[in-house]
Amino acid sequence: MDLAKAVALPVAGVAALRSLRAAGLGPGRRVLITGASGGVGRFAVQLAARAGAHVIASVGSPARGEGLVETGADEVLIGLEGLDRLVDVVIDSVGGPPTGRGREPARSWGQHAERRLDFR
């Protein structure tokens, strides 16, 4: 692993951890993680699963969803297709139009943690 990737690794983990803590995540909660195939998303999947949550990983394509079940996802969705029940928490590291639809079920439950990272 090159130095730039090694240095960035803890940043993604801390961003995921802070998002989950802000949401008050715990056992039995349903959490939707958008951008689950990215660095922050993969950490969020693992940490939420370790906390005992039901983890729904949202990705952009089937190829991006590979390996997410092994890291702790209970469900892997392409976009939000198939999201048919309310979620307790949305961890959003992507933003944009698809998130608005995913955010609404979480708002019904009163919880939403969103992390939009912009390094420009």
Side-chain angles (χ1 to χ4, degrees):
M1 179 179 290
D2 71 354
L3 184 58
K5 287 181 182 176
V7 170
L9 194 58
V11 173
V14 168
L17 182 60
R18 289 188 59 170
S19 294
L20 292 167
R21 282 186 175 165
L25 190 63
R29 305 213 44 211
R30 288 175 48 86
V31 59
L32 170 65
I33 300 171
T34 65
S37 63
V40 174
R42 282 195 182 268
F43 274 111
V45 166
Q46 293 174 51
L47 293 168
R50 298 271 319 219
H54 178 89
V55 180
I56 304 162
S58 172
V59 295
S61 70
R64 289 181 182 255
E66 291 178 12
L68 287 172
V69 170
E70 291 79 13
T71 61
D74 295 294
E75 302 176 48
V76 178
L77 306 178
I78 308 306
L80 297 176
E81 193 68 36
L83 182 63
D84 56 357
R85 290 183 40 215
L86 294 174
V87 298
D88 298 305
V89 176
V90 176
I91 302 298
D92 177 20
S93 62
V94 178
T99 317
R101 285 184 28 218
R103 187 180 305 150
E104 200 52 45
R107 285 199 174 154
S108 300
W109 289 83
Q111 292 290 327
H112 181 235
E114 182 173 328
R115 291 280 179 228
R116 291 189 182 164
L117 304 175
D118 187 359
F119 295 104
R120 285 186 264 151

